[in-house]
Amino acid sequence: TNYVTEESSFHTPYMVLHARIEPDMQQHGACSDKKVYNLTDIVSQIETKFVDPPTGIQIMVIILHRELLEKEVTDASIENEMAGYNLKALNELIENGLWGGKVRVVEAGSKLAQQQIKYPFYAKYSAIVGAIINYYLSIDASIFFGTYVSSYSSAVISTRFFRETITSTNNYFYSNDGLIHVTPPGAAQPPKFQC
């Protein structure tokens, strides 16, 4: 499948992209000057910063709320071209990967929780279970890409930073000015959420 499964191996290095491009974020008025609405622009920033896949990286986990995109696209009473564009871009990423297919792109979160037939409790509460899955995948990733406009991204980066592991400084925010390394070596503290 195109989702992380029990059988998936995360013994190899992987990276996580928290793509906060869902319709609710498009409509939220705060910090609009810091938002990047287009998934292709975000991916382009990553592939520009890293001309080749980062060493050892074979998988990128993309975390977002697919259902919000799908609902917006299928509701005939709503006109949201960006949601349609981002859903198409997401599906193409899942199908084609990054760097010409060298890095596979997968989703986790709620969909993974919903697939747990063995544990129906997880499926019933898939939104919260999915967020927990995504959080732990994010803090253990070799590289994390998030956004200034998300308290979730900021919490992940703070957790990663204070764990003081070998990858704890590999944190980036995508922005309208490009990809920004927000916890370079020697940083005294992670960035604070300000939106």
Side-chain angles (χ1 to χ4, degrees), residues 114-136:
Q114 290 166 2
Q115 294 171 353
Q116 295 303 310
I117 298 166
K118 197 158 111 179
Y119 305 103
F121 177 82
Y122 296 151
K124 182 177 179 183
Y125 299 101
S126 63
I128 189 69
V129 173
I132 294 166
I133 291 168
N134 286 338
Y135 186 79
Y136 281 98

Side-chain angles (χ1 to χ4, degrees), residues 53-65:
T55 305
I57 299 291
Q58 297 175 11
I59 297 172
M60 180 177 80
V61 178
I62 187 166
I63 58 176
L64 52 70
H65 200 306

Side-chain angles (χ1 to χ4, degrees), residues 41-154:
D41 290 347
I42 297 167
V43 170
S44 178
Q45 289 181 29
I46 294 169
E47 289 184 315
T48 298
K49 173 75 175 173
F50 300 95
V51 178
D52 293 309
T55 305
I57 299 291
Q58 297 175 11
I59 297 172
M60 180 177 80
V61 178
I62 187 166
I63 58 176
L64 52 70
H65 200 306
R66 173 187 275 277
E67 291 78 16
L68 285 179
L69 283 174
E70 290 173 339
K71 181 179 178 188
E72 193 91 351
V73 170
T74 58
D75 187 336
S77 68
I78 299 173
E79 271 191 52
N80 186 338
E81 289 181 23
M82 184 55 69
Y85 178 87
N86 282 333
L87 182 59
K88 182 177 182 230
L90 173 61
N91 290 334
E92 288 173 359
L93 269 176
I94 300 296
E95 184 176 331
N96 301 320
L98 291 167
W99 291 282
K102 293 177 185 173
V103 173
R104 190 169 61 120
V105 177
V106 298
E107 297 175 82
S110 297
K111 288 289 186 186
L112 180 60
Q114 290 166 2
Q115 294 171 353
Q116 295 303 310
I117 298 166
K118 197 158 111 179
Y119 305 103
F121 177 82
Y122 296 151
K124 182 177 179 183
Y125 299 101
S126 63
I128 189 69
V129 173
I132 294 166
I133 291 168
N134 286 338
Y135 186 79
Y136 281 98
L137 285 172
S138 296
I139 63 173
D140 285 338
S142 295
I143 304 171
F144 178 77
F145 302 99
T147 175
Y148 283 110
V149 298
S150 168
S151 58
Y152 187 93
S153 285
S154 295

